[in-house]
Structures are given as structure tokens and as C-alpha cells.
């Protein structure tokens, strides 16, 4: 009851002031000056207040406004509101633009430096033989880049294909005394996973590369989606009801000869909550998107760190090649069992000339105690140290890694600040330095939509459905903004991708990845392939040498396969010649 009495009393006071004003017209010179300072070029601003029956939005008592002024105030209100939203969201938008650009640049530079570093190391290690076969590795990096930049690349299949191509080349050169046809190579590729010619390196490298690249690509895509959503939603489209409410709030004080009086804070909040109701509905999905981005950023800092994958990739690939070198005779033996013996090429009697050109030292399994050694007998430690000069790829790569890690940390901190951005937008706009009177000592000194005085209606909650009784803006809660709903869907899709990336899954190839993990190679080999080669899947004897040092091993299969010799020296000579041909 007390509150009703207070409201009635205030109403009568306001009414008496308004009636009293009829008898004492105010001067409009202050309105003219304020209008000019705002850039208006009104020709007929009244010298004193006139009757305001012609006004449609502002109070129709005595006024300093003409119909022309009210119309232009409406246009100005729309323009200022749209600029306020853009200004308030500037930091958000510029952050996504700049961080996306930096992360993308860092990652692409990292790929280029890693490829350059591998190429430099392999050239110094293998020389001309590597350069003649370098396209295998160039294709690997080209596909990694194509995947990262959004290409339709299945990482697992691509990596399987890399090792298959490497196996085909090495097998062909290791067995140059035979005619190796395309059909025969296809047969070999089907058994790559069973043969394991490169040891466990392909499996481990595939797991590391796929997780890191999925996380990096999804993260940069997430930055791109955040950038696009922020740019699009920040360009508001004002409804007629919103423009009317804005005009009433921002410029009707001019018509009341009070151009310096600012809107009450709660009044401004209700207007903005009505005008930005659809934008506020973006907030729940936006918050989930930000949380998902933060999770993937943690992965990039930790187990999916691209640095831990790319830094030793040259040594890892070399380790795989070393495994193939160690097991080449056994691999050939088992391939002949599964795919049959190819026809001789007529070059079997070729001498071992040129063996001195083959590596006089090769990669051994990497360990911190003993770094691999190059063909020239140069310790890889010294090679790497030489590569760490201020202009070398190793140094450049580490600089990029450092910058990239700082970029991820910076993005994380910024993202945390942008949670609840869209629901907080009305509060951010209704700041004293932008729109409102602020925390005035006397809350009677602000514009309440009718006169200078206190604003009594309560501030509504956020979102479209809560605007059904908005006292300032007429909002049709039955018609959600289609454009905003599209942005909500874009965020939802991206959040789903980010959650999958957090778990190491690529949403684009989830089904094919599952199949690949079951079959092992993703090469399309069916169960029939396994059955055909099943008899050779157990450990085959090393023909011609006993690694325990007990002498030659007798094997009935050796009689039907003339490729490997039964004598240890001959086997080693053949292996050296084959390795020379591999890289020639």
C-alpha cells in the first residue's frame, strides 16, 4: 500500500510540473546548441517551447522539437545504437581476428620450418640418394598442410599411404633383381600392417600426428567461427519498436529542453534488453563454445602439443627406415610367401660396384645417450647444433613454437573474459561514458522516458521470452530472429567438433577412423587379405644368417626362393647394394 501511495504521489508531482510548464515556456537555445554539436542541421528549431501535438514518440506537452527533428532523431538513434553495439564488441571481434591470424601464421610457419629442417638433415645424412626420393616426404608435408587448411584429408589413411609408398620404393630397390609390377606393389601394400617393416614407428607417429593435427585444425577453425559469429551478430538490425524506444530514451530529453540529461541506468537496461533480446539468446551456446575452446587449448599445451610431434619427426622417420633396413631380408622373404615370387629382371648377376657409395654409417635407434650418426660420420648432435644457427631451421622452428605457445596462452586468457558476453551487452552499453547518467548522487536527475526523475519499473531478465512485458520495447517473443538462430547452430556444430577434437577424434572421419583402427591400415584390405597371407603372419626365419651367432639357418623354403642367399657374407653384400640403390 505504501508503495502504491508513493507512486501516486510521484505521478501527481510529475503531472503538476508538466501542467505548470504550460504556463512558463522554456527557452530552446540550449537544444539548438546541442543539436549543432551533434551534427544536426535543423533550420527551424523553435526559439521557445511550442505545443507538441504533432509529436509521435516524445511527450506531447510543450516541446522544443518539430516533426522534422523527431524524424531525424529517430534516424540518429538507430545509427548510434548500431555503432554502440559495434564499439562495445570491438575488443571481442578484434581479438578473434588477430588471434586467428597469428595462430594460423604460426602453425603454417611451423610446418614449413619442420619440413625444411627434415630436408636439411636428410640431405646432410643421405645426400643425393635422399634428394632423388624426396618427393615422398614432400607429399607427406603437402598433405599435412592440406589437412590443416581444411582439405578433405583422412589423416590416418594419408599416413598409412606414406609408409606404404616408402615400403614400395624400398622393397623395389632391395629386390632390383626382380621385375616388380604395379599389381605386385598393390599386393605388398595390403600387408604393410602385418609385415611391420618399419617397426612400431608408424603406429606411434600416426597416433601423435592425428591427435595434434586434429586439435590444431579444430582450434583454428573454432577461432574462425568465433570471429565470424562475433562479426555477424555485432551488426544489429533494429526493429521499428526498438528504434522508437531508442529515440524516446536518447533524444526526447532534447524535446523537453533538457539535452544534457542522460537516461536512467535501469531505463537504459530495459531498452537494451528489449532491443538485444535475440542476441542474449546466443549466450548459452556461446558459453559452451568458449568452454570447448578452452579445453582444446589445454590439449594443445599438453598431450596434443604439436611441438612434441613435429620436433623429432625427422628422427622418428629415420628410425622407421632403420627398422626396414634391419629387417629387409626377412620382409622380402615374407612378401614372397604372401604375394608370390616375381619374375627375374635379368640383372641378378650385377656386381657390387658402388657399394662404397652406400652409407658407411646409418641411423640407429635414437636414445639420449647416443644420437644417430650421419653418412659422413658426423654426429647428429653436431648436425643439429649447426642447424641451430640464428638463421637455421631448428632455431626458427623453436622460435615459432615459443610464439605459438604464448599465442595459445594469450587466447585462453582472452576467451575467459568473453564468457557471457552477449547477455552482458546491455550492461556494457549502458555505461556512464556511453549512454547513461551513471551513479548520480541523486537518482532523480536522470531521464526516465517521460521527464527528469526516478525510473520505477524493474529490470527484466535476459532473453527473448523474458521480454513479454518489457515496458519500453514491444517485442514479439513468438518470432525469434532467424539470423541469430543460424549463428546459434553454427556455434553448436563447432562446439561438437571441439569436443571431439578434445578426445582426439576427427568428426569428419570418425566412421572411417573407426574402421581404420580395426583393420590397421585403412588400405581397404578385407578379411580375405588376412586369410591369404595368414600362413606367413608368424615370425619367419632370417634366411642366410642366425642373429644369435650360431651359424646359417636351414629352411626348406629357401630352396624355392633364390632371392636371399644361404651364406651370411653374400646376404650382407646384397643388402648393402640394395640400400645403395634405394637412395640412388
Amino acid at each position: 500500500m505504501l508503495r502504491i501511495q508513493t507512486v501516486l504521489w510521484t505521478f501527481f508531482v510529475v503531472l503538476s510540473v508538466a501542467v505548470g510548464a504550460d504556463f512558463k515556456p522554456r527557452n530552446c537555445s540550449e537544444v539548438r546548441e546541442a543539436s549543432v554539436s551533434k551534427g544536426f542541421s535543423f533550420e527551424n528549431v523553435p526559439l521557445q517551447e511550442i505545443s507538441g501535438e504533432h509529436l509521435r514518440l516524445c511527450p506531447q506537452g510543450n516541446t522544443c522539437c518539430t516533426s522534422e527533428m523527431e524524424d531525424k532523431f529517430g534516424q540518429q538513434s538507430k545509427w548510434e545504437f548500431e555503432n554502440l553495439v559495434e564499439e562495445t564488441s570491438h575488443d571481442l571481434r578484434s581479438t578473434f581476428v588477430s588471434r586467428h591470424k597469428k595462430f594460423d601464421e604460426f602453425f603454417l610457419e611451423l610446418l614449413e620450418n619442420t619440413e625444411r629442417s627434415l630436408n636439411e638433415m636428410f640431405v646432410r645424412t643421405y645426400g643425393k640418394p635422399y634428394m632423388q626420393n624426396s618427393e615422398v616426404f614432400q607429399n607427406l608435408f603437402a598433405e599435412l598442410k592440406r589437412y590443416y587448411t581444411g582439405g578433405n584429408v583422412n589423416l590416418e589413411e594419408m599416413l598409412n599411404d606414406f609408409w606404404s609408398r616408402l615400403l614400395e620404393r624400398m622393397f623395389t630397390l632391395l629386390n632390383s633383381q626382380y621385375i616388380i609390377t604395379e599389381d605386385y606393389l598393390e599386393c605388398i601394400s595390403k600387408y604393410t600392417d602385418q609385415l611391420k617393416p618399419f617397426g612400431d614407428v608408424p603406429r606411434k607417429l600416426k597416433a601423435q600426428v592425428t591427435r595434434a593435427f586434429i586439435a590444431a585444425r579444430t582450434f583454428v577453425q573454432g577461432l574462425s567461427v568465433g570471429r565470424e559469429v562475433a562479426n555477424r551478430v555485432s551488426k544489429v538490425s533494429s526493429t521499428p519498436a526498438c528504434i522508437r524506444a531508442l529515440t524516446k530514451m536518447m533524444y526526447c530529453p532534447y524535446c523537453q529542453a533538457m539535452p544534457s540529461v542522460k537516461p536512467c541506468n535501469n531505463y537504459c537496461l530495459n531498452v537494451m534488453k528489449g532491443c538485444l533480446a535475440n542476441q542474449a539468446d546466443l549466450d548459452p551456446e556461446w558459453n559452451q563454445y568458449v568452454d570447448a575452446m578452452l579445453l582444446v587449448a589445454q590439449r594443445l599445451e599438453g598431450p596434443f602439443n604439436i611441438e612434441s610431434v613435429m620436433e623429432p619427426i625427422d628422427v622418428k622417420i629415420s628410425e622407421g627406415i632403420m627398422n626396414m633396413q634391419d629387417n629387409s631380408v626377412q620382409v622380402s622373404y615374407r612378401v614372397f610367401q604372401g604375394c608370390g615370387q616375381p619374375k627375374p629382371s635379368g640383372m641378378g648377376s650385377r656386381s657390387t660396384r658402388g657399394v662404397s657409395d652406400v652409407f658407411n654409417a646409418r641411423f640407429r635407434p635414437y636414445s639420449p645417450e647416443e644420437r644417430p650418426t650421419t653418412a659422413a660420420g658426423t654426429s647428429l648432435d653436431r648436425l643439429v647444433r649447426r642447424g641451430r644457427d640464428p638463421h637455421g631451421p631448428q632455431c626458427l622452428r623453436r622460435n615459432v613454437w615459443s610464439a605459438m605457445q604464448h599465442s595459445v596462452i594469450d587466447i585462453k586468457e582472452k576467451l575467459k573474459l568473453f564468457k557471457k558476453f552477449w547477455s552482458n551487452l546491455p550492461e556494457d552499453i549502458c555505461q556512464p561514458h556511453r549512454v547513461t547518467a551513471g551513479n548520480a548522487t541523486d537518482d532523480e536527475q536522470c531521464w526516465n522516458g517521460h521527464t527528469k526523475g526516478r525510473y520505477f519499473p524493474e529490470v527484466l531478465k535476459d532473453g527473448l521470452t523474458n521480454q513479454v512485458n518489457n515496458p519500453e520495447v514491444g517485442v514479439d517473443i513468438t518470432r525469434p530472429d532467424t539470423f541469430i538462430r543460424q549463428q546459434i547452430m553454427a556455434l553448436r556444430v563447432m562446439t561438437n567438433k571441439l569436443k571431439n577434437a578434445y578426445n582426439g577424434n576427427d568428426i569428419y572421419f570418425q566412421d572411417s577412423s573407426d574402421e581404420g583402427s580395426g583393420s590397421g591400415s585403412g588400405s581397404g584390405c578385407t578379411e580375405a587379405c588376412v586369410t591369404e597371407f595368414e600362413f606367413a603372419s608368424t615370425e619367419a626365419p632370417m634366411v642366410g644368417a642366425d642373429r644369435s651367432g650360431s651359424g646359417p639357418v636351414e629352411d626348406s623354403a629357401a630352396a624355392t626362393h633364390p632371392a636371399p642367399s644361404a651364406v651370411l657374407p653374400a646376404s650382407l653384400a646384397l643388402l648393402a647394394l640394395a640400400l645403395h640403390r634405394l637412395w640412388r
Side-chain angles (χ1 to χ4, degrees), residues 170-336:
M170 293 186 73
F171 184 87
T172 299
L173 294 169
L174 285 167
N175 296 276
S176 58
Q177 67 271 39
Y178 296 103
I179 299 174
I180 308 298
T181 64
E182 290 296 325
D183 290 340
Y184 199 88
L185 290 176
E186 185 177 350
C187 178
I188 295 173
S189 67
K190 292 178 181 178
Y191 305 131
T192 303
D193 191 60
Q194 294 180 54
L195 291 170
K196 297 188 184 303
F198 304 104
D200 208 28
V201 173
R203 183 188 66 82
K204 291 180 178 178
L205 194 61
K206 180 167 65 175
Q208 293 172 332
V209 168
T210 52
R211 289 187 311 179
F213 270 75
I214 287 169
R217 179 169 97 156
T218 309
F219 189 70
V220 79
Q221 287 178 343
L223 290 173
S224 178
V225 169
R227 177 193 65 192
E228 294 305 314
V229 169
N231 284 335
R232 290 168 181 167
V233 178
S234 296
K235 296 185 182 300
V236 294
S237 179
S238 307
T239 64
C242 174
I243 296 172
R244 288 194 295 270
L246 290 166
T247 306
K248 184 178 177 182
M249 179 183 77
M250 299 169 76
Y251 282 101
C252 282
Y254 281 61
C255 297
Q256 295 295 95
M258 297 182 290
S260 61
V261 177
K262 300 295 184 182
C264 301
N265 187 70
N266 286 356
Y267 175 33
C268 176
L269 287 176
N270 274 340
V271 172
M272 293 302 166
K273 285 176 182 284
C275 290
L276 298 169
N278 284 283
Q279 281 76 4
D281 282 348
L282 189 75
D283 223 39
E285 205 64 52
W286 175 264
N287 293 337
Q288 290 190 44
Y289 153 79
V290 170
D291 287 338
M293 285 288 291
L294 291 171
L295 287 174
V296 176
Q298 290 176 9
R299 289 296 206 204
L300 288 173
E301 288 182 300
F304 296 178
N305 188 340
I306 197 69
E307 176 182 357
S308 64
V309 175
M310 301 308 288
E311 180 176 20
I313 197 170
D314 42 16
V315 175
K316 290 178 181 178
I317 292 175
S318 297
E319 184 181 344
I321 293 174
M322 177 277 301
N323 287 332
M324 176 65 180
Q325 292 171 354
D326 281 346
N327 302 313
S328 58
V329 175
Q330 186 180 11
V331 168
S332 296
Y333 171 78
R334 295 173 67 184
V335 168
F336 291 160

Side-chain angles (χ1 to χ4, degrees), residues 15 18 20 36-37 70 88 110 149 195 209 305 318 419 518 538 548 558:
L15 181 62
V36 171
S37 67
E70 192 180 44
T88 308
L110 172 63
T149 54
L195 291 170
V209 168
N305 188 340
S318 297
K419 288 195 69 174
T538 56
S548 65

